Amino acid sequence: MATAIEIELRPLGPADAGIPLTSDEFEKADYDEGYRYELIHGVLVVTPPPAEGERDANEDLGRWLRNYQDDHEEGSALDLTLPEHNIRTGDHNRRAERVIWTGLGRTPRTSGRLDRRDIPSIVVEFPSVRPADQRRDYDEKKIEYRDAGVKEYWIFDRFRRTLTVYYWRGKRCTKKIVSEEETYSTALLPGFEL
């Protein structure tokens, strides 16, 4: 098992999967490039990078968001969008495929003291076909993102060819499933249509 001293001296990598870490240790550590790192239930989880289909879809979404930001008259509602970004959710540190901040009117604070960070308005996932990944994205992350203060959670399921949107108004959760023939819009990004 790696000790705190070892963690400070070298980057963490795939061989370190399963070691216990605190959220603060996770955020301070250096990591080998080319892998995804999450902290779940106090344990370091290391996974390979996303598959080509997921990366391509995420790149398309990023391009559409940037085009909206640059070209739409209400594009200033989009403050920032980032692919592959870690979000602290309680005791977990989840790797989201894309995060979107809206309505701040400034560049969001994405790191530093936890109590000063801006929570993304929208978190996006592109789940794989594995049942464990589907359960994690549709069930576990939905609750964690809600509890963190995320306003909408988008799940692009390329296998079902749907977009599932969860949004919260207080404790009330609404689920909307959008087929590939339909259009989705949100008040968080006025004038943006998927």
Short mmCIF file of all heavy atoms in Angstrom, two decimals, residues 92-116:
data_model
loop_
_atom_site.label_atom_id
_atom_site.label_comp_id
_atom_site.label_asym_id
_atom_site.label_seq_id
_atom_site.Cartn_x
_atom_site.Cartn_y
_atom_site.Cartn_z
N HIS A 92 -16.61 11.67 -2.75
CA HIS A 92 -16.15 11.17 -4.04
C HIS A 92 -15.52 12.30 -4.84
O HIS A 92 -15.76 13.47 -4.59
CB HIS A 92 -17.31 10.57 -4.84
CG HIS A 92 -18.06 9.51 -4.14
ND1 HIS A 92 -17.49 8.35 -3.71
CD2 HIS A 92 -19.36 9.43 -3.78
CE1 HIS A 92 -18.40 7.59 -3.12
NE2 HIS A 92 -19.54 8.23 -3.15
N ASN A 93 -14.74 11.91 -5.83
CA ASN A 93 -14.21 12.84 -6.80
C ASN A 93 -14.41 12.17 -8.15
O ASN A 93 -13.67 11.27 -8.52
CB ASN A 93 -12.72 13.13 -6.53
CG ASN A 93 -12.28 14.40 -7.20
OD1 ASN A 93 -12.49 14.57 -8.39
ND2 ASN A 93 -11.69 15.30 -6.43
N ARG A 94 -15.48 12.57 -8.83
CA ARG A 94 -15.91 11.92 -10.07
C ARG A 94 -15.31 12.60 -11.29
O ARG A 94 -15.19 13.82 -11.34
CB ARG A 94 -17.43 11.96 -10.19
CG ARG A 94 -18.17 11.14 -9.17
CD ARG A 94 -18.06 9.68 -9.48
NE ARG A 94 -19.01 8.92 -8.67
CZ ARG A 94 -19.15 7.62 -8.74
NH1 ARG A 94 -18.42 6.93 -9.59
NH2 ARG A 94 -20.01 7.00 -8.00
N ARG A 95 -14.99 11.78 -12.28
CA ARG A 95 -14.51 12.28 -13.56
C ARG A 95 -15.71 12.36 -14.50
O ARG A 95 -16.26 11.34 -14.91
CB ARG A 95 -13.44 11.34 -14.12
CG ARG A 95 -12.83 11.81 -15.39
CD ARG A 95 -12.00 13.04 -15.15
NE ARG A 95 -10.94 13.17 -16.12
CZ ARG A 95 -9.95 14.00 -15.98
NH1 ARG A 95 -9.86 14.74 -14.92
NH2 ARG A 95 -9.03 14.07 -16.90
N ALA A 96 -16.14 13.57 -14.83
CA ALA A 96 -17.27 13.77 -15.74
C ALA A 96 -16.73 13.96 -17.15
O ALA A 96 -15.68 14.56 -17.36
CB ALA A 96 -18.07 15.00 -15.32
N GLU A 97 -17.47 13.44 -18.12
CA GLU A 97 -17.04 13.58 -19.51
C GLU A 97 -17.06 15.05 -19.96
O GLU A 97 -16.20 15.48 -20.71
CB GLU A 97 -17.91 12.74 -20.44
CG GLU A 97 -17.37 11.35 -20.66
CD GLU A 97 -17.79 10.36 -19.59
OE1 GLU A 97 -18.86 10.51 -18.98
OE2 GLU A 97 -17.02 9.43 -19.36
N ARG A 98 -18.05 15.81 -19.51
CA ARG A 98 -18.11 17.24 -19.84
C ARG A 98 -18.86 17.95 -18.73
O ARG A 98 -19.82 17.43 -18.19
CB ARG A 98 -18.83 17.48 -21.18
CG ARG A 98 -18.94 18.97 -21.52
CD ARG A 98 -19.23 19.21 -22.99
NE ARG A 98 -18.16 18.73 -23.85
CZ ARG A 98 -17.02 19.40 -24.12
NH1 ARG A 98 -16.80 20.58 -23.58
NH2 ARG A 98 -16.11 18.88 -24.93
N VAL A 99 -18.38 19.16 -18.42
CA VAL A 99 -19.06 20.01 -17.45
C VAL A 99 -19.31 21.37 -18.09
O VAL A 99 -18.53 21.82 -18.94
CB VAL A 99 -18.27 20.15 -16.13
CG1 VAL A 99 -18.26 18.85 -15.36
CG2 VAL A 99 -16.86 20.62 -16.38
N ILE A 100 -20.41 22.00 -17.68
CA ILE A 100 -20.84 23.26 -18.28
C ILE A 100 -21.26 24.21 -17.16
O ILE A 100 -22.10 23.84 -16.33
CB ILE A 100 -22.04 23.03 -19.24
CG1 ILE A 100 -21.66 22.01 -20.33
CG2 ILE A 100 -22.52 24.33 -19.84
CD1 ILE A 100 -22.85 21.46 -21.10
N TRP A 101 -20.67 25.40 -17.15
CA TRP A 101 -21.07 26.44 -16.20
C TRP A 101 -21.85 27.48 -16.96
O TRP A 101 -21.44 27.92 -18.05
CB TRP A 101 -19.85 27.10 -15.57
CG TRP A 101 -19.13 26.24 -14.58
CD1 TRP A 101 -19.34 26.19 -13.23
CD2 TRP A 101 -18.06 25.33 -14.84
NE1 TRP A 101 -18.46 25.30 -12.64
CE2 TRP A 101 -17.66 24.75 -13.62
CE3 TRP A 101 -17.39 24.93 -16.00
CZ2 TRP A 101 -16.65 23.82 -13.52
CZ3 TRP A 101 -16.38 24.00 -15.91
CH2 TRP A 101 -16.02 23.46 -14.67
N THR A 102 -22.97 27.91 -16.40
CA THR A 102 -23.82 28.91 -17.05
C THR A 102 -24.26 29.97 -16.04
O THR A 102 -24.31 29.71 -14.84
CB THR A 102 -25.08 28.28 -17.65
OG1 THR A 102 -25.90 27.76 -16.59
CG2 THR A 102 -24.76 27.17 -18.62
N GLY A 103 -24.59 31.15 -16.58
CA GLY A 103 -25.25 32.18 -15.79
C GLY A 103 -24.42 32.92 -14.76
O GLY A 103 -24.96 33.72 -14.00
N LEU A 104 -23.13 32.69 -14.71
CA LEU A 104 -22.29 33.40 -13.74
C LEU A 104 -21.87 34.78 -14.24
O LEU A 104 -21.65 35.69 -13.45
CB LEU A 104 -21.03 32.59 -13.43
CG LEU A 104 -21.23 31.23 -12.76
CD1 LEU A 104 -19.91 30.46 -12.72
CD2 LEU A 104 -21.80 31.40 -11.36
N GLY A 105 -21.71 34.90 -15.55
CA GLY A 105 -21.23 36.16 -16.12
C GLY A 105 -19.74 36.38 -15.92
O GLY A 105 -19.25 37.50 -16.05
N ARG A 106 -19.02 35.31 -15.61
CA ARG A 106 -17.57 35.38 -15.38
C ARG A 106 -17.00 33.98 -15.54
O ARG A 106 -17.73 33.00 -15.63
CB ARG A 106 -17.26 35.91 -13.98
CG ARG A 106 -17.84 35.04 -12.88
CD ARG A 106 -17.41 35.47 -11.49
NE ARG A 106 -18.16 34.80 -10.46
CZ ARG A 106 -17.99 33.53 -10.08
NH1 ARG A 106 -17.09 32.78 -10.67
NH2 ARG A 106 -18.72 33.00 -9.13
N THR A 107 -15.69 33.90 -15.57
CA THR A 107 -15.04 32.59 -15.61
C THR A 107 -15.23 31.91 -14.26
O THR A 107 -14.95 32.51 -13.22
CB THR A 107 -13.53 32.76 -15.91
OG1 THR A 107 -13.39 33.44 -17.15
CG2 THR A 107 -12.85 31.40 -16.00
N PRO A 108 -15.73 30.70 -14.26
CA PRO A 108 -15.97 30.01 -12.98
C PRO A 108 -14.68 29.61 -12.28
O PRO A 108 -13.65 29.41 -12.91
CB PRO A 108 -16.78 28.78 -13.38
CG PRO A 108 -16.50 28.58 -14.82
CD PRO A 108 -16.15 29.90 -15.40
N ARG A 109 -14.77 29.50 -10.97
CA ARG A 109 -13.66 28.98 -10.17
C ARG A 109 -13.80 27.47 -10.17
O ARG A 109 -14.78 26.93 -9.66
CB ARG A 109 -13.72 29.54 -8.75
CG ARG A 109 -13.44 31.04 -8.68
CD ARG A 109 -13.53 31.57 -7.26
NE ARG A 109 -14.84 31.39 -6.67
CZ ARG A 109 -15.83 32.28 -6.71
NH1 ARG A 109 -15.66 33.42 -7.35
NH2 ARG A 109 -16.99 32.03 -6.14
N THR A 110 -12.83 26.79 -10.74
CA THR A 110 -12.90 25.33 -10.91
C THR A 110 -11.97 24.57 -9.97
O THR A 110 -11.99 23.35 -9.94
CB THR A 110 -12.56 24.94 -12.36
OG1 THR A 110 -11.22 25.37 -12.65
CG2 THR A 110 -13.53 25.60 -13.33
N SER A 111 -11.13 25.28 -9.23
CA SER A 111 -10.20 24.63 -8.32
C SER A 111 -9.99 25.55 -7.12
O SER A 111 -10.61 26.60 -7.01
CB SER A 111 -8.87 24.33 -9.02
OG SER A 111 -8.29 25.53 -9.49
N GLY A 112 -9.09 25.15 -6.25
CA GLY A 112 -8.85 25.92 -5.04
C GLY A 112 -9.73 25.44 -3.91
O GLY A 112 -10.22 24.31 -3.92
N ARG A 113 -9.95 26.32 -2.94
CA ARG A 113 -10.76 25.94 -1.79
C ARG A 113 -12.13 25.45 -2.23
O ARG A 113 -12.79 26.06 -3.07
CB ARG A 113 -10.93 27.13 -0.85
CG ARG A 113 -9.71 27.41 -0.01
CD ARG A 113 -9.90 28.51 0.97
NE ARG A 113 -11.23 28.55 1.56
CZ ARG A 113 -11.63 29.52 2.37
NH1 ARG A 113 -10.82 30.51 2.67
NH2 ARG A 113 -12.85 29.51 2.87
N LEU A 114 -12.55 24.35 -1.66
CA LEU A 114 -13.80 23.71 -2.05
C LEU A 114 -14.99 24.65 -1.89
O LEU A 114 -15.87 24.70 -2.75
CB LEU A 114 -14.00 22.43 -1.22
CG LEU A 114 -15.13 21.53 -1.63
CD1 LEU A 114 -14.97 21.06 -3.07
CD2 LEU A 114 -15.22 20.33 -0.70
N ASP A 115 -15.03 25.40 -0.82
CA ASP A 115 -16.17 26.28 -0.56
C ASP A 115 -16.22 27.49 -1.48
O ASP A 115 -17.19 28.24 -1.48
CB ASP A 115 -16.20 26.71 0.91
CG ASP A 115 -14.99 27.53 1.33
OD1 ASP A 115 -13.95 27.49 0.63
OD2 ASP A 115 -15.07 28.21 2.37
N ARG A 116 -15.18 27.69 -2.28
CA ARG A 116 -15.16 28.82 -3.21
C ARG A 116 -15.30 28.39 -4.67
O ARG A 116 -15.34 29.24 -5.55
CB ARG A 116 -13.88 29.62 -3.03
CG ARG A 116 -13.84 30.30 -1.68
CD ARG A 116 -12.79 31.34 -1.65
NE ARG A 116 -12.84 32.02 -0.37
CZ ARG A 116 -11.91 32.83 0.06
NH1 ARG A 116 -10.85 33.05 -0.67
NH2 ARG A 116 -12.03 33.42 1.22
#
